[in-house]
Amino acid sequence: MLADMPPRSSRATMKDVAALARVSPKTVSNVVTGSAQVSEPTRQRVEDAMRQLDFVPNLSARTLRNGRTGIIGVALPDLATAFSATLAHEVVDVAHRRGLAVQIEETAAEPEREYELVSRARTHLIDGLILNPVRLEDSVIEQVDHLPPVVLIGEVEQHLTDRVFVESRAAAREITTHVVGRGARRIAVLGGATDGRDGKATSGLRLQGYLEALRAAGLEADPRLQIQLPEWTIAGAAAGMEELLAREVSFDAVVTFTDTIAFGALHVLRRRGIRVPEDVLLTGFDDVEHAAFTNPPLTTIAFDHRDYAVAALDLLAARLDDRRRETTARTIPHRLIARESTGRPGTTPRGHRPD
Amino acid sequence: MLADMPPRSSRATMKDVAALARVSPKTVSNVVTGSAQVSEPTRQRVEDAMRQLDFVPNLSARTLRNGRTGIIGVALPDLATAFSATLAHEVVDVAHRRGLAVQIEETAAEPEREYELVSRARTHLIDGLILNPVRLEDSVIEQVDHLPPVVLIGEVEQHLTDRVFVESRAAAREITTHVVGRGARRIAVLGGATDGRDGKATSGLRLQGYLEALRAAGLEADPRLQIQLPEWTIAGAAAGMEELLAREVSFDAVVTFTDTIAFGALHVLRRRGIRVPEDVLLTGFDDVEHAAFTNPPLTTIAFDHRDYAVAALDLLAARLDDRRRETTARTIPHRLIARESTGRPGTTPRGHRPD
DNA sequence: CTCACCATTTACAACGATGTAAGGTCGCTG
DNA sequence: CAGCGACCTTACATCGTTGTAAATGGTGAG
């Protein structure tokens, strides 16, 4: 039997299978795709031949012929960040269950250049793209004509692409209001970028929500309590927290824009002997797995990560079926999860004061 | 000018570009690939035409013709786990710099079935595979004939594939010896699986290293101190730690097989009021970013994650150039990073005792 | 016994890019 | 002025699969 094996060097094609089964290549194709009637005996012969030759259809050829690759792209800022990793994990899992492969692109490394890469070189090998930009939302939108179908993860106000998002502004308002309710009065914020460019982007919306909550509570917004982070990593957040402490202002709560940022902040606070939640309250955003396992566990905005992935893939699939359908926006419901990092009802943080 | 735009529905092909530039398709191809001399005026005309039509070469067609996709697969257990995410991040970044796209596969969901997926359906769309299995190392090896070139991340003793790894056994020995040096005598271990199947796999090796260190220190290995985790997640680790506490044995150190496991363990310890490092020492493995930012920061085994990715991609590239070259194993140097979770030299953990 | 009709199966072309080898063009040498 | 290279450019076939349309073979009705 060994002598019958095909050479490892090159795989068997439908032609080979056809020859062995004494049918035409097209019949083999019919057996593989099930797209046409094939009599039982013929099907048997073909299937035997396929097994014998260890036949695997060549997806490049199939793609060339019928235009779909079965691969979708997922572009996100930085896989090493907890939320990106979680999202990627869910998308990969859901996509695989649907028979799709997932190609990953990272956009944080070189925001502008990287984008070009996504848009051009690879376009022909992905059927669609799930895009989770942090900064370049606007510029991406402009290029949407050159892209395969895109589902945007984020809240840019536009109707050029399908979108999936949580209501960042409302959520930020809620969580800020929550710390106010737990007695905080001098609330610092970590993560927002306030420059014009980011006006519409996620971080901008979260900042707006924070400011709205302050206003609603009759609290003054002190710019010295607002720290912009160039990088939303743990280390970047730790640096931002150091910066806040260096400003020598007092505060009794820190609202952050992602759990990862909160992790960095928590580390610095504890290192400085500032207790959470006794002295200062702390909140995150996203409810990644680790958020429930810090000490103390983190109050955060939670939403179903799997729903997020499912919604994005649903929208993408729908668009692939019908490119001219109306674009849709899908909101993923969120809820505040109060854990120990914001203390208990009725308690009040002592606050941190310089010196 | 607008009237000259091609329809968005279908992209321009070389034929279109050729027609517009009044040359043959092959000349366009020559301009694109640079594989043959093209006179300057002709090149100009072709490049103009390409710009005008927003031409992007169809990778499926190119692949069909010349056999390479420019995509590599990366298969790892679970993107939501810190180390996997870090590794994926590095591989994606390095691969992109080299002009390769990365397709992600997760193997944890359905170890056996998933494998089939990797090996068959997608084989024709990836040039090679970087594989980081947790459990199925042996079974994967057996199938290596049906796979595209594979670089294995892990220490299976074999010569069928190229390999990249850190010396798990030595590292586990070192870190266990380290906690012994810091005064621990009853050292629990979290993560190992001891059943036959995993004999050669990473977790088995780390367990061996742990046991060797105990023996070398003249300490008895108490099976009650060994906890097997079905899942290497934070939640799984927390459950494992609860299990250890439920066994009501005393211990003064916990050695874990990944940082993620240590995070779960740390959470439960603190929750129970067991202080790290005053009562119990704790160690991780991998030195993911968060390890330096827990409270207290985690003593762990560090190695250069980027080197890991570079080594894997180097080996893969070399094999793609020459499929019959000898398989190579590349060791990534590691070192122990002593942070506060194992206390300071000269101190001794008080230990935890039931009740 | 013939013929229409159905179910299967087949031949052919096409998807888009590129290697091969043959075809042109030009200038230069003898 | 014939003849020869050097250099560009082109025609053609090919990669493996699948849609289309046509061919095949067998069945049952007339």
Side-chain angles (χ1 to χ4, degrees):
Chain A
M1 270 299 148
L2 266 177
D4 292 336
M5 294 288 281
R8 285 108 207 284
S9 45
S10 68
R11 291 205 152 291
T13 73
M14 283 194 173
K15 215 154 89 181
D16 302 329
V17 176
L20 184 59
R22 311 187 142 270
V23 295
S24 76
K26 176 64 193 184
T27 299
V28 178
S29 168
N30 289 337
V31 170
V32 171
T33 62
S35 57
Q37 284 291 344
V38 177
S39 70
E40 200 42 42
T42 309
R43 144 168 291 118
Q44 279 303 339
R45 283 213 315 287
V46 171
E47 285 177 346
D48 287 349
M50 292 198 298
R51 245 187 306 281
Q52 206 171 129
L53 297 176
D54 189 30
F55 170 75
V56 180
N58 181 320
L59 291 198
S60 296
R62 181 177 289 173
T63 296
L64 177 58
R65 188 57 236 251
N66 60 22
R68 284 226 198 162
T69 61
I71 308 183
I72 61 167
V74 176
L76 27 74
D78 176 5
L79 266 183
T81 296
F83 178 63
S84 284
T86 303
L87 188 60
H89 165 73
E90 296 293 350
V91 170
V92 166
D93 194 35
V94 175
H96 280 183
R97 284 171 203 278
R98 297 187 182 186
L100 293 169
V102 174
Q103 190 171 306
I104 299 275
E105 311 279 344
E106 289 196 4
T107 55
E110 305 171 53
E112 321 293 341
R113 297 280 323 287
E114 187 72 23
Y115 176 67
E116 172 120 357
L117 205 158
V118 174
S119 71
R120 301 194 69 78
R122 303 301 170 192
T123 41
H124 272 292
L125 277 183
I126 61 176
D127 295 336
L129 183 62
I130 296 177
L131 188 55
N132 176 215
V134 172
R135 290 152 210 266
L136 24 116
E137 300 187 343
D138 297 347
S139 59
V140 165
I141 300 307
E142 290 161 16
Q143 306 227 27
V144 84
D145 274 352
H146 306 281
L147 286 176
V150 169
V151 172
L152 198 70
I153 294 206
E155 277 175 276
V156 190
E157 197 59 55
Q158 45 85 18
H159 299 279
L160 294 169
T161 72
D162 297 300
R163 286 160 288 152
V164 179
F165 55 86
V166 296
E167 291 174 327
S168 278
R169 196 159 91 190
R173 204 187 314 125
E174 289 162 32
I175 206 163
T176 307
T177 303
H178 167 79
V179 297
V180 171
R182 291 287 165 91
R185 290 296 171 267
R186 301 265 312 152
I187 304 169
V189 61
L190 232 64
T194 48
D195 52 356
R197 259 202 84 187
D198 273 0
K200 298 182 200 156
T202 305
S203 65
L205 289 167
R206 293 188 187 171
L207 186 61
Q208 282 179 37
Y210 157 84
L211 293 170
E212 286 171 14
L214 291 191
R215 201 174 315 130
L219 297 173
E220 192 195 349
D222 183 345
R224 289 173 302 168
L225 292 177
Q226 297 171 23
I227 299 279
Q228 292 181 31
L229 301 177
E231 290 213 329
W232 288 14
T233 60
I234 303 184
M241 191 69 223
E242 302 277 11
E243 157 77 9
L244 176 62
L245 291 167
R247 288 185 183 178
E248 306 219 317
V249 289
S250 60
F251 58 91
D252 51 16
V254 179
V255 167
T256 71
F257 287 177
T258 72
D259 289 346
T260 294
I261 296 174
F263 298 153
L266 178 60
H267 174 75
V268 172
L269 288 170
R270 299 200 57 142
R271 169 124 315 207
R272 296 295 191 95
I274 303 168
R275 291 166 307 164
V276 178
E278 293 83 352
D279 299 331
V280 166
L281 309 184
L282 177 66
T283 69
F285 203 114
D286 293 337
D287 193 33
V288 300
E289 189 189 17
H290 208 148
F293 292 95
T294 48
N295 297 294
L298 194 62
T299 292
T300 190
I301 297 292
F303 47 91
D304 192 308
H305 301 306
R306 165 140 309 223
D307 282 355
Y308 224 91
V310 168
L313 282 164
D314 282 349
L315 288 182
L316 197 51
R319 173 141 321 271
L320 290 175
D321 281 349
D322 173 13
R323 304 229 170 182
R324 51 192 63 207
R325 74 197 281 273
E326 197 104 355
T327 60
T328 343
R330 199 109 121 217
T331 307
I332 303 298
H334 65 268
R335 65 184 193 290
L336 185 144
I337 299 206
R339 298 204 181 94
E340 296 166 31
S341 73
T342 47
R344 265 165 301 169
T347 61
T348 295
R350 289 185 43 195
H352 164 77
R353 270 164 223 76
D355 293 16
Chain B
M1 270 301 148
L2 266 176
D4 292 336
M5 295 288 283
R8 289 105 206 286
S9 46
S10 68
R11 291 204 153 293
T13 72
M14 283 196 171
K15 214 154 88 183
D16 303 328
V17 175
L20 183 59
R22 311 186 142 271
V23 296
S24 77
K26 177 63 195 184
T27 299
V28 178
S29 167
N30 288 337
V31 170
V32 171
T33 61
S35 56
Q37 285 291 344
V38 177
S39 69
E40 199 45 40
T42 310
R43 144 169 290 117
Q44 279 304 338
R45 284 213 316 286
V46 171
E47 284 176 348
D48 286 350
M50 291 199 300
R51 244 187 306 280
Q52 208 172 126
L53 297 175
D54 190 30
F55 170 74
V56 180
N58 182 320
L59 292 199
S60 297
R62 184 178 284 172
T63 295
L64 177 59
R65 188 58 236 246
N66 60 21
R68 284 227 197 162
T69 61
I71 307 182
I72 61 166
V74 176
L76 27 75
D78 175 6
L79 265 184
T81 295
F83 178 63
S84 285
T86 303
L87 188 60
H89 165 72
E90 295 293 351
V91 170
V92 166
D93 194 35
V94 175
H96 280 184
R97 284 170 204 280
R98 298 188 182 184
L100 293 169
V102 175
Q103 190 171 307
I104 298 275
E105 310 281 343
E106 289 196 1
T107 55
E110 304 172 54
E112 320 294 342
R113 298 283 320 287
E114 187 72 21
Y115 176 66
E116 172 120 357
L117 205 158
V118 175
S119 71
R120 301 194 70 78
R122 302 302 171 192
T123 41
H124 273 292
L125 277 182
I126 60 176
D127 294 337
L129 184 63
I130 295 178
L131 188 56
N132 175 216
V134 172
R135 291 151 209 266
L136 23 118
E137 299 186 344
D138 296 348
S139 57
V140 164
I141 300 307
E142 290 161 15
Q143 307 227 27
V144 84
D145 275 351
H146 305 282
L147 287 176
V150 169
V151 172
L152 199 69
I153 295 205
E155 278 174 277
V156 191
E157 197 60 56
Q158 44 85 17
H159 300 278
L160 295 169
T161 72
D162 297 300
R163 285 159 288 153
V164 179
F165 55 85
V166 296
E167 291 173 327
S168 278
R169 197 161 89 190
R173 204 186 316 124
E174 289 162 31
I175 204 162
T176 307
T177 302
H178 167 79
V179 298
V180 170
R182 291 287 164 92
R185 290 296 171 268
R186 300 267 310 155
I187 304 170
V189 62
L190 232 63
T194 48
D195 51 356
R197 260 200 84 186
D198 274 359
K200 298 182 203 158
T202 304
S203 64
L205 289 167
R206 295 188 185 170
L207 187 61
Q208 282 180 36
Y210 158 84
L211 293 171
E212 287 172 14
L214 291 191
R215 202 173 315 130
L219 297 172
E220 192 195 350
D222 183 344
R224 289 174 303 170
L225 292 177
Q226 297 171 22
I227 300 279
Q228 292 182 31
L229 300 177
E231 291 212 331
W232 287 15
T233 60
I234 303 185
M241 190 69 222
E242 302 277 11
E243 157 77 9
L244 176 61
L245 291 167
R247 287 187 183 176
E248 308 220 316
V249 289
S250 59
F251 59 90
D252 51 17
V254 180
V255 166
T256 71
F257 287 177
T258 71
D259 288 346
T260 294
I261 296 174
F263 298 152
L266 176 60
H267 174 75
V268 171
L269 288 170
R270 299 199 57 141
R271 170 124 313 208
R272 297 297 189 93
I274 301 169
R275 293 166 305 164
V276 177
E278 292 82 352
D279 298 332
V280 166
L281 309 183
L282 177 67
T283 68
F285 203 114
D286 292 338
D287 193 33
V288 300
E289 189 189 18
H290 208 147
F293 293 95
T294 49
N295 296 293
L298 195 61
T299 292
T300 190
I301 296 291
F303 47 91
D304 192 308
H305 300 306
R306 167 142 306 227
D307 281 356
Y308 223 91
V310 168
L313 282 164
D314 282 348
L315 288 182
L316 196 51
R319 173 142 320 273
L320 289 175
D321 280 349
D322 173 12
R323 304 228 170 183
R324 52 193 64 208
R325 76 197 278 274
E326 198 105 354
T327 61
T328 346
R330 199 110 121 217
T331 307
I332 303 298
H334 64 269
R335 67 186 192 289
L336 186 145
I337 298 207
R339 300 205 180 94
E340 296 166 32
S341 74
T342 47
R344 267 166 300 172
T347 62
T348 296
R350 288 185 42 195
H352 164 77
R353 268 164 225 76
D355 290 17

